[in-house]
Amino acid sequence: MRVGVCSSGGHLSTIRLRDVAGAGRHHEALDLFRHALCHSEPFLSISSILPSAILSAAALSLSPAAAQLHSLALKSGLLPADPFVLTALLSAYSRLRLLPLACRLFDDVPSSAAPTSAFNALISGHALAPVSSPAVLALFCRMRREAVPFDDVTLLALLPAAPPAAIPPLHGVAFRAALASVSSVSNCLLSCYSRVGAVDFARQLFDEMPDHRKDRISWNAMISCYAQNGLAHQVLDLFDTMEHSASVEPDAVTLIGVLSSCAYLGARSIGRKIENYISQKPSFDSNTHLKNALISLHVRCGDLARARKIFDEMPHRTIVSWTAMIAGYGMHGHGEEALRLFDKMIEAGIRPDGIAMVSVLSACSHGGMADKGMWYFSSMKTLYGVVPSREHYACVVDLLGRAGQLKEAWELIESMPVEPDGPIWGALLGACKIHKNVELAELAFEHVIELEPTNVGYYVLLSNIYSDAGRLDGVARVRAIMRQRGLKKGPGCSYVDHKGKVHLFMADDHSHPQAKNIYEMVLRLEAMVTNDSEIYGNKRKENLPLTGFHSEKLAIAFGLLNTEAGAEIVVIKNLRVCEDCHQFMKMVSQVVPLLLQMRLWSGHMKLGQRFLWKPVLSVPHTVVDVQKLDVVFLEIDSLLEHIYTKYVSEVLRHQVFRMRNVDLLLYYYNLTDSAA
DNA sequence: GTAGGGTTAG
């Protein structure tokens, strides 16, 4: 179609060009521009269409075209005086990562003539650059020195690039300029406080925003703030408030924040509810970020098959999708599958970054593939240009350490080109726990404690190493240091997601409304598993106490009391499971499926309650030949014992996991960590 | 007409 055929053609093509470029149809915009030039339309001023064309060239990464338009602007005498052309060029060079060209152009502008918009474009250009803070602040200072007025856009470009210490003063500047109450600026400030971990400030800002100024982005920013600072419960609470009281609808960004918190907490039922909601909105279907969040949700909740299905069905995968899936396999001990997927990623032409390599190395580590891991570590720089960071070193120390190569792990730390950090020495300390090396543990501990003196986990780890070695003097010494430094062991906790609510348990914690029944159930289960288990049996012989009411036991008991037969119970922990609890869970997960199939555990049991045994009703013959159980009335405890000793130990040991009646899964650190 | 805010993986 011809452009500008009528007498008002210049005007028409200006509007069309702007619309077309604004709609992202940049090729078409450039064609229109060329067309308008060639036909030298009457009344067309080039200055009105040049800015759009320049930005379209930048959007298409066409540096030569941008340079041509630059010289055209010079020839037409539009530079440096025309503020629109100047600003568009500065912005284009910024986006094309040609900052030096932008700076040179800016230098030609007489300082009194530089408009706010030009400063804004240059500041956001510097903010895009990898190392930006000093230049960005310097530009803002120059603006103020030269009395160029700044506006909300200036602050929006400046704030995200400013160093943490500059945030409060800039907040003050914004406040005095009456810009802090502009929604976009307050949202931006909120995110800045979030980024530096000042969650309380962020929340205060959020609460102080009047309702009519709180838009969807404000809610999203606050939800993301909690999510990124690990406050997953607060995310779910705020999302609940948003759904019930706010006048804004959640969008994909909201759901990404919520899903990541569900993944963090293992709040599967909320996660699935959201997944269901997403599936009903066709507009979300193509959102890659959202799919990535869903993959991560299922991975963290242990449903690798579901995660993989989403991954396989994605029309467009980013490196994030691949990394989430690879990390998922690694996390659950499927090292081979993780590496297969990594190979496929390479085949798909995606170049791994540092984070992808972390997931590969950790997959090797958790999958017991030390040699493969070392190969990836030594070749990642030459093959993919990824320079090993401290995090990679921590993975490799972990990898060597788990494989029992403690000396090699220590030597690697000694030979690192950068100073080792806490997690690296911590990985060595963890390896010393597995392989019971007290001497090296003491050395690693000294280093790690110097770097992270308040990280209680390391004290506990060393104390456990001493304890395993029977060195009670060591245990006492560590405890003394902790007391002296005022450190307390952080509470370990376990969660179970039940009907959309996260039930949190801590050791010996009676706060749950069902506490009484839960404790009874734990005792019952303990009595049951102590009979046959070697570990428990030995403990009993040695007269050692059982571990007690650890949070995972309470969580399991809660799960058993509140789910129907056939339900899956997933327990999520914040710390690594202890050996005793791990054994306990393995035993329970063998016994309980059988009991559930017999429907004896429906609802809340009472100690000593008698149950009517109706074998014909629900026991599958394939699993248990009920005729052999000549039991009619039986105290529940002895019934459990009876069934357990008679069948589980003989018949079901290898079948139980196929029944999938109840799987007790333990995630966070994968179950195989302490399994032999 | 120009500049600009919230997003996922370890």
Side-chain angles (χ1 to χ4, degrees):
Chain A
M1 188 183 148
R2 289 284 305 266
V3 181
V5 284
C6 61
S7 60
S8 61
H11 182 58
L12 186 66
S13 58
T14 303
I15 291 173
R16 282 221 45 203
L17 190 58
R18 203 168 61 231
D19 289 348
V20 168
R25 283 141 55 196
H26 300 294
H27 281 293
E28 206 181 317
L30 286 180
D31 284 345
L32 273 172
F33 178 76
R34 256 179 240 123
H35 199 98
L37 273 193
C38 294
H39 293 78
S40 31
E41 294 169 21
F43 311 110
L44 175 69
S45 98
I46 184 171
S47 69
S48 70
I49 53 171
L50 202 47
S52 290
I54 290 168
L55 291 172
S56 283
L60 294 168
S61 303
L62 297 171
S63 316
Q68 275 178 350
L69 293 167
H70 186 171
S71 63
L72 179 65
L74 285 170
K75 271 185 230 152
S76 315
L78 292 169
L79 285 176
D82 187 302
F84 299 110
V85 174
L86 174 68
T87 305
L89 267 173
L90 288 171
S91 169
Y93 284 137
S94 298
R95 287 181 210 183
L96 290 164
R97 304 288 192 273
L98 297 169
L99 214 49
L101 289 182
C103 293
R104 211 183 307 159
L105 172 60
F106 192 68
D107 286 342
D108 292 340
V109 183
S111 52
S112 58
T116 300
S117 63
F119 271 101
N120 290 351
L122 206 58
I123 289 175
S124 45
H126 278 97
L128 287 173
V131 190
S132 62
S133 313
V136 163
L137 278 183
L139 271 167
F140 184 64
C141 292
R142 187 173 148 195
M143 236 176 141
R144 309 214 66 193
R145 219 173 30 243
E146 294 173 6
V148 178
F150 64 92
D151 59 10
D152 51 341
V153 179
T154 319
L155 294 172
L156 294 174
L158 177 65
L159 281 166
I167 302 299
L170 285 173
H171 189 169
V173 168
F175 182 79
R176 282 191 296 276
L179 290 167
S181 57
V182 176
S183 293
S184 56
V185 175
S186 43
N187 290 341
C188 185
L189 279 164
L190 199 165
S191 307
C192 287
Y193 283 121
S194 164
R195 216 177 36 249
V196 301
V199 180
D200 293 342
F201 275 114
R203 181 66 202 229
Q204 200 185 330
L205 214 57
F206 181 78
D207 288 336
E208 283 169 0
M209 288 166 74
D211 281 344
H212 68 275
R213 288 227 179 83
K214 249 183 223 159
D215 57 14
R216 197 195 328 252
I217 292 174
S218 318
W219 286 91
N220 289 351
M222 195 62 230
I223 285 176
S224 305
C225 168
Y226 282 138
Q228 283 162 6
N229 287 283
L231 299 164
H233 284 287
Q234 280 87 333
V235 169
L236 298 188
D237 283 348
L238 193 62
F239 180 57
D240 197 59
T241 314
M242 182 182 181
E243 278 192 305
H244 289 103
S245 63
S247 55
V248 288
E249 280 273 301
D251 66 355
V253 176
T254 324
L255 299 181
I256 287 164
V258 179
L259 281 175
S260 76
S261 298
C262 291
Y264 185 89
L265 290 171
R268 288 195 310 168
S269 49
I270 304 178
R272 285 183 178 162
K273 224 168 73 186
I274 293 172
E275 186 176 28
N276 197 28
Y277 175 77
I278 291 168
S279 66
Q280 289 160 8
K281 298 246 171 183
S283 60
F284 289 165
D285 212 45
S286 56
N287 189 314
T288 307
H289 280 302
L290 208 44
K291 299 271 175 192
N292 291 344
L294 281 173
I295 291 175
S296 176
L297 171 81
H298 292 303
V299 157
R300 294 295 294 266
C301 293
D303 196 342
L304 285 177
R306 183 98 192 84
R308 183 60 189 259
K309 188 164 181 289
I310 295 170
F311 177 86
D312 284 338
E313 288 170 357
M314 278 172 87
H316 176 246
R317 298 181 197 101
T318 63
I319 188 164
V320 177
S321 331
W322 290 92
T323 306
M325 202 62 234
I326 291 168
Y329 282 123
M331 221 180 278
H332 296 98
H334 304 293
E336 302 276 353
E337 190 55 40
L339 294 187
R340 253 200 300 282
L341 204 61
F342 180 73
D343 289 342
K344 279 193 181 171
M345 180 179 102
I346 302 294
E347 278 170 35
I350 292 182
R351 195 173 125 158
D353 61 2
I355 300 163
M357 291 316 299
V358 167
S359 72
V360 167
L361 293 176
S362 113
C364 291
S365 173
H366 286 259
M369 301 184 295
D371 292 346
K372 280 231 168 89
M374 286 314 288
W375 182 83
Y376 279 111
F377 178 65
S378 57
S379 56
M380 65 188 220
K381 193 177 165 193
T382 44
L383 283 180
Y384 312 119
V386 178
V387 180
S389 69
R390 287 190 176 85
E391 222 172 328
H392 297 108
Y393 277 99
C395 283
V396 175
V397 169
D398 185 62
L399 179 115
L400 290 170
R402 277 174 203 268
Q405 302 177 35
L406 293 178
K407 191 164 157 278
E408 287 79 356
W410 182 69
E411 283 167 358
L412 179 76
I413 298 178
E414 292 289 296
S415 68
M416 279 176 56
V418 282
E419 278 297 301
D421 62 359
I424 292 175
W425 286 111
L428 186 63
L429 190 60
C432 292
K433 165 89 167 68
I434 300 172
H435 297 287
K436 307 192 188 309
N437 186 327
V438 177
E439 215 173 292
L440 194 55
E442 287 174 333
L443 188 143
F445 179 75
E446 266 178 39
H447 282 101
V448 81
I449 242 49
E450 199 176 306
L451 294 160
E452 296 183 32
T454 59
N455 191 326
V456 184
Y458 297 131
Y459 294 85
V460 175
L461 202 48
L462 183 66
S463 164
N464 288 342
I465 291 169
Y466 279 134
S467 163
D468 286 350
R471 293 267 307 270
L472 296 181
D473 58 318
V475 175
R477 205 168 57 241
V478 176
R479 291 213 178 129
I481 303 172
M482 286 175 72
R483 244 196 324 277
Q484 195 189 329
R485 300 189 179 172
L487 298 171
K488 275 199 186 123
K489 187 170 168 277
C493 56
S494 300
Y495 321 109
V496 172
D497 173 4
H498 179 61
K499 294 190 174 162
K501 206 167 166 247
V502 174
H503 296 258
L504 184 141
F505 298 92
M506 299 205 261
D508 302 315
D509 156 22
H510 283 75
S511 62
H512 196 277
Q514 298 175 19
K516 192 165 170 291
N517 289 324
I518 290 169
Y519 277 78
E520 281 176 10
M521 174 68 93
V522 172
L523 287 174
R524 205 182 292 274
L525 292 169
E526 282 218 326
M528 192 170 74
V529 300
T530 45
N531 285 330
D532 202 52
S533 150
E534 250 177 54
I535 284 194
Y536 280 93
N538 288 339
K539 289 231 164 187
R540 200 167 252 197
K541 266 180 240 151
E542 293 165 24
N543 263 337
L544 287 171
L546 297 179
T547 323
F549 297 105
H550 278 188
S551 64
E552 43 274 67
K553 291 184 181 174
L554 301 177
I556 290 162
F558 168 81
L560 290 172
L561 285 167
N562 290 280
T563 52
E564 293 293 314
E568 197 181 34
I569 300 167
V570 175
V571 177
I572 309 252
K573 277 186 62 55
N574 65 338
L575 300 171
R576 191 182 294 236
V577 64
C578 78
E579 185 69 28
D580 280 322
C581 283
H582 184 216
Q583 287 299 330
F584 173 82
M585 298 182 81
K586 274 172 47 176
M587 305 305 289
V588 170
S589 64
Q590 287 176 331
V591 180
V592 170
L594 179 60
L595 299 171
L596 284 182
Q597 287 198 340
M598 293 175 172
R599 303 205 180 188
L600 275 174
W601 292 60
S602 57
H604 302 249
M605 291 183 303
K606 291 200 176 77
L607 265 176
Q609 189 177 346
R610 282 171 177 271
F611 281 82
L612 181 58
W613 175 247
K614 292 182 184 166
V616 269
L617 277 182
S618 53
V619 178
H621 323 294
T622 50
V623 179
V624 182
D625 181 359
V626 287
Q627 299 309 314
K628 287 185 186 164
L629 285 174
D630 50 351
V631 191
V632 180
F633 284 100
L634 210 59
E635 287 268 330
I636 179 70
D637 291 304
S638 56
L639 172 64
L640 300 182
E641 210 173 289
H642 188 85
I643 296 165
Y644 178 69
T645 49
K646 197 161 180 180
Y647 290 96
V648 174
S649 53
E650 297 164 19
V651 188
L652 290 177
R653 183 144 290 173
H654 57 280
Q655 289 186 338
V656 113
F657 296 107
R658 281 198 291 118
M659 286 159 53
R660 296 193 55 80
N661 191 329
V662 171
D663 279 337
L664 294 174
L665 306 174
L666 199 72
Y667 293 104
Y668 193 72
Y669 267 96
N670 58 323
L671 236 166
T672 52
D673 260 1
S674 46

